[in-house]
Amino acid sequence: MRVLVTGGAGFIGSHVVEALRARGHEPVVFDVRTDPAADVRDEQAVARALAGVDAVCHQAAMVGLGAGFADAVEYVSRNDLGTAVLLTAMAGQGVRRLVLAGSMVVYGEGRYTCARHGVVRPGPRAVADLAAGRFEPRCPACGRELSAGLVAEDAALDPRNVYATTKLAQEHLAAAWARSTGGSAVSLRYHNVYGPGMPRDTPYAGVASFFRSSLARGEAPRVFEDGLQRRDFVHVRDVAAANAAALEADPAAGALTAYNTGSGEPHTVGEMARALAAAHGGPEPVVTGEYRLGDVRHITADSSRLRAELGWKPQVGFPEGMREFASAGMRGA
């Protein structure tokens, strides 16, 4: 299969290219890092790149929190306009298979249960609570403490920052394209991806990159809040394998299918920082109590659908992955 990989020279995209090549496919890299003209918003460049292509793996995106609106236009341009240009060209050239780099950020907060009211959806956390060190969301009905659980793909979607909003818009565009063309679209909702080749020293990198960059400078990783916020850290090679599995599958035509893509083993941010620091040889992390508006407290998802339907399962465990990442090479900003 000849597969156009947008963002194919980036962190995740480059691993996708390697995974596809290892499985006998022909990946075609489309990335401004290797060719300034390879902008997914450029209609003519995209049309040329799609020639002879059987499928598209769309990894190109502006990533990061996007908590404020200073970068909103750029996020929408790169992520949503770029996706619209790509899908329009695919529709015109008869390319009917798409795998999209989705994100768990479309859920907002994770799944919470109140002892009295059952499953609830807490609203955004208040500044006053965060400033006072009250980080756990409370039941919106009675104010009680909540128990956090796993989010399934059918959960309500609640993007809470600019980046999250653009990732959800990408899914809606892909779903509309699939309905219009009869094509098949898969969105892999990535969790916290980490691993070799992760970008360093950039505001758009993930928390694992921040910690690793600090350690490389001989500085202690700075852990926000109390370090007890839970995430699912999934290795980039496992994410690449999920993309290959999705491209080789036979998903429903005329619709978008979403799959949570995580390790299935939630860990706290503090736990990750300590594991990375220990593997690197220090220094120990510092829990700061600081916070970022737009961050959610807990977001871990159930990835069993991906395992059951596509036969995928993660191969890199948390201890092994952290040991590798502690000494792995990283990319420049």
Side-chain angles (χ1 to χ4, degrees), residues 98-104 106-107 151-155 157 167-168 170-172 174-175 178 184-191 242 246 251-252 254-262 301-310:
L98 171 73
V99 174
L100 172 68
S103 175
M104 54 81 186
V106 299
Y107 296 116
V151 181
E153 287 89 351
D154 61 357
L157 303 180
K167 296 306 290 183
L168 181 55
Q170 284 185 308
E171 289 195 358
H172 287 320
S184 65
V186 170
S187 177
L188 298 175
R189 291 174 178 168
Y190 300 160
H191 277 255
L256 178 136
T257 305
Y259 292 104
N260 292 330
T261 308
D302 181 354
S303 299
S304 59
R305 180 180 185 182
L306 179 59
R307 298 174 186 234
E309 295 187 8
L310 300 189

Side-chain angles (χ1 to χ4, degrees), residues 78-305:
R78 291 178 180 269
N79 296 354
D80 299 338
L81 175 60
T83 299
V85 170
L86 174 66
L87 293 172
T88 300
M90 290 173 65
Q93 293 186 225
V95 182
R96 296 293 182 262
R97 185 179 291 265
L98 171 73
V99 174
L100 172 68
S103 175
M104 54 81 186
V105 295
V106 299
Y107 296 116
E109 283 284 356
R111 185 180 188 273
Y112 292 90
T113 304
C114 172
R116 177 182 294 179
H117 295 98
V119 176
V120 296
R121 298 282 298 179
R125 295 179 293 172
V127 172
D129 286 337
L130 294 170
R134 295 187 294 268
F135 302 120
E136 293 290 344
R138 297 276 177 163
C139 176
C142 66
R144 289 190 177 194
E145 292 186 5
L146 300 172
S147 298
L150 301 180
V151 181
E153 287 89 351
D154 61 357
L157 303 180
D158 185 19
R160 295 190 175 184
N161 55 57
V162 171
Y163 170 64
T165 301
T166 65
K167 296 306 290 183
L168 181 55
Q170 284 185 308
E171 289 195 358
H172 287 320
L173 286 166
W177 165 84
R179 286 192 296 270
S180 174
T181 64
S184 65
V186 170
S187 177
L188 298 175
R189 291 174 178 168
Y190 300 160
H191 277 255
N192 291 71
V193 186
Y194 74 96
M198 199 171 190
R200 65 173 182 270
D201 301 327
T202 164
Y204 305 112
V207 65
S209 172
F210 294 154
F211 293 165
R212 175 67 174 77
S213 295
S214 295
L215 291 165
R217 295 191 299 268
E219 300 171 0
R222 295 177 60 82
V223 180
F224 280 14
E225 301 186 16
D226 56 6
L228 298 180
Q229 55 272 46
R230 286 192 290 279
R231 298 290 188 270
D232 186 325
F233 300 100
V234 59
H235 197 278
V236 66
R237 287 196 298 272
D238 287 330
V239 168
N243 276 272
L247 284 164
E248 294 169 351
D250 188 21
L256 178 136
T257 305
Y259 292 104
N260 292 330
T261 308
S263 71
E265 298 180 358
H267 293 272
T268 68
V269 171
E271 183 181 359
M272 187 269 285
R274 290 190 296 274
L276 196 56
H280 190 270
E284 285 292 308
V286 175
V287 178
T288 68
E290 298 173 62
Y291 61 88
R292 297 190 305 178
L293 289 177
D295 274 350
V296 298
R297 179 61 173 173
H298 305 298
I299 176 65
T300 55
D302 181 354
S303 299
S304 59
R305 180 180 185 182

